[in-house]
Amino acid sequence: MGRPSPVLLVLLVLGFFFATYNLLTIVMHHKASSSENLSADGLKLVEPVRLMPEETKTDEISKSKYHVALTATDAPYSQWQCRIMYYWYKVMKDKPGSDMGKFTRVLHSGTPDNLMEEIPSFVVDPLPQGLDRGYIVLNRPWAFVQWLEKATIEEEYILMAEPDHIFANPLPNLAKGNHPAAYPFFYIKPAENEKIIRKFYPEENGPVNNVDPIGNSPVIIKKSILEEIAPTWVNVSLRMKDDPETDKAFGWVLEMYAYAVASALHGVRHILRKDFMLQPPWDLEVGKRFIIHYTYGCDYNLKGELTYGKIGEWRFDKRSYLSGPPPKNLSLPPPGVPESVVRLVTMVNEATANIPGWET
């Protein structure tokens, strides 16, 4: 017999390599999926979890209670938002469909403030002076690390929320076992920022779309998983802030990207729920969505036309009240303004009318 050609030998070796690699990959995927009991086909879990509301069956959602936690400062601007948020938590907590447990305002000012008796609060330390470089949101992951280490939290799950959230409908636990639930933000775009993301999530960790288009809030997540992610979230946040290119590119959403990257580093994927939240004035109706996030200013003329970027004849913008709370009984928007904005102002008015000592 003649000797086989070198080219043939190389092809045979490569063929055995890829066959072995594919077999090992299938075995590894099967082992990973069998531990979660999410699907019968075994290989489904290696794909990103992307369950939209209409695809998520009620019996698949966790029925465990979750603890509502938001981070805050003792500044008047933060305080009045927390008071409104806590008011609507109390209204919605025991309604049918709600899985809300207890509530904690994680106060990262280092000392108690005058809302300790009104709102259940837990005081933690801020970052060492100067470390946040004026970007106060960097205190959020550090606050969660301290709270998780020191507080007694009875619930298995945690909802990470923010002061400018209002519960518009009773919120069930949207998480599914070890898969947290999160809201997909249109402006968080890991794939479009791959060059920067790769500084913190190297190629050996996997494709860039392993980084979900989310922030840390709103997120419902198992406490045990958040305990693993939170220290990494702190470290990635600080590293991103230290990198001038990243700091410039991500700006005020840097800490959101840091949470998304930290989750990916731990192999955690989120169920993306568009009905988790709405953001007036861009989302026009509340419908069955659960949280109103009033981060954007709402400016309209008297014809009910949006004048975003220009102060309107009628407006509601939380930044108009940096030094103190908004007055009671704010004027309602003119006819033609979207229902979401009308609902927002109506809910703010109801809260301020019923919170004792609002204007003081």
Side-chain angles (χ1 to χ4, degrees):
M1 293 177 60
R3 295 171 59 187
S5 71
V7 174
L8 179 60
L9 289 175
V10 169
L11 289 175
L12 286 172
V13 170
L14 287 174
F16 282 119
F17 171 81
F18 285 115
T20 304
Y21 173 82
N22 290 333
L23 177 62
L24 288 173
T25 301
I26 291 172
V27 171
M28 290 169 67
H29 286 174
H30 178 73
K31 287 182 177 179
S33 60
S34 62
S35 66
E36 291 292 339
N37 192 30
L38 284 183
S39 63
D41 60 16
L43 295 181
K44 201 168 185 178
L45 270 185
V46 302
E47 297 298 327
V49 178
R50 289 294 184 273
L51 298 180
M52 292 298 105
E54 63 274 12
E55 297 172 297
T56 307
K57 298 178 182 179
T58 303
D59 61 358
E60 292 179 328
I61 299 299
S62 173
K63 295 301 181 184
S64 299
K65 294 286 186 180
Y66 58 83
H67 193 108
V68 180
L70 72 157
T71 58
T73 72
D74 58 3
Y77 177 65
S78 177
Q79 287 183 323
W80 69 257
Q81 294 175 54
C82 289
R83 298 181 81 189
I84 292 174
M85 201 272 195
Y86 183 58
Y87 171 85
W88 283 107
Y89 157 81
K90 291 188 293 182
V91 170
M92 295 292 174
K93 179 180 183 294
D94 296 321
K95 287 193 173 185
S98 167
D99 288 323
M100 293 178 180
K102 294 182 178 180
F103 184 103
T104 300
R105 178 183 63 135
V106 184
L107 183 64
H108 55 76
S109 300
T111 55
D113 66 359
N114 60 337
L115 294 182
M116 301 297 291
E117 294 184 6
E118 179 179 333
I119 303 176
S121 302
F122 190 92
V123 179
V124 296
D125 293 325
L127 288 168
Q129 187 173 5
L131 197 58
D132 64 10
R133 293 173 179 80
Y135 180 55
I136 197 168
V137 186
L138 282 184
N139 286 281
R140 182 177 294 155
W142 176 228
F144 271 111
V145 166
Q146 295 173 81
W147 178 62
L148 290 165
E149 287 180 351
K150 299 176 182 178
T152 301
I153 305 163
E154 297 175 0
E155 295 84 353
E156 184 182 6
Y157 290 83
I158 291 169
L159 164 65
M160 292 190 285
E162 296 183 15
D164 60 352
H165 286 177
I166 292 177
F167 293 108
N169 286 300
L171 176 60
N173 186 345
L174 301 176
K176 183 178 176 183
N178 288 332
H179 289 282
Y183 176 79
F185 288 89
F186 70 88
Y187 50 78
I188 301 297
K189 301 176 180 180
E192 292 185 15
N193 293 281
E194 181 169 5
K195 179 185 173 184
I196 293 175
I197 292 293
R198 287 305 186 190
K199 294 183 178 184
F200 312 96
Y201 187 75
E203 289 188 8
E204 56 264 30
N205 289 88
V208 72
N209 61 10
N210 282 352
V211 181
D212 292 324
I214 61 171
N216 78 287
S217 175
V219 165
I220 299 178
I221 185 171
K222 263 190 176 179
K223 179 177 66 175
S224 58
I225 297 175
L226 183 57
E227 287 171 339
E228 295 177 3
I229 293 174
T232 307
W233 179 21
V234 173
N235 291 334
V236 173
S237 297
L238 293 173
R239 287 176 55 208
M240 284 185 170
K241 192 64 180 174
D242 279 339
D243 183 74
E245 182 185 18
T246 305
D247 189 22
K248 181 179 179 180
F250 291 166
W252 64 275
V253 297
L254 180 148
E255 169 268 341
M256 298 172 70
Y257 272 103
Y259 173 79
V261 169
S263 299
L265 288 170
H266 285 271
V268 175
R269 305 305 306 272
H270 295 71
I271 301 166
L272 302 184
R273 295 288 301 238
K274 291 184 178 180
D275 63 342
F276 208 153
M277 190 170 73
L278 68 146
Q279 302 187 96
W282 310 117
D283 296 308
L284 305 182
E285 296 181 356
V286 175
K288 295 182 179 181
R289 286 179 276 195
F290 299 107
I291 293 172
I292 299 175
H293 183 210
Y294 55 98
T295 189
Y296 295 104
C298 299
D299 288 275
Y300 293 87
N301 61 28
L302 297 183
K303 297 179 182 179
E305 298 168 335
L306 182 66
T307 62
Y308 192 77
K310 177 183 177 182
I311 294 178
E313 295 172 279
W314 180 93
R315 78 180 327 225
F316 176 75
D317 188 338
K318 66 177 184 176
R319 295 164 191 81
S320 300
Y321 309 102
L322 294 174
S323 58
K328 294 182 178 181
N329 197 27
L330 294 168
S331 64
L332 293 179
V337 169
E339 180 265 348
S340 62
V341 179
V342 177
R343 179 82 173 274
L344 166 61
V345 178
T346 301
M347 295 184 80
V348 168
N349 281 345
E350 179 179 332
T352 60
N354 288 283
I355 296 173
W358 173 254
E359 292 173 333
T360 59

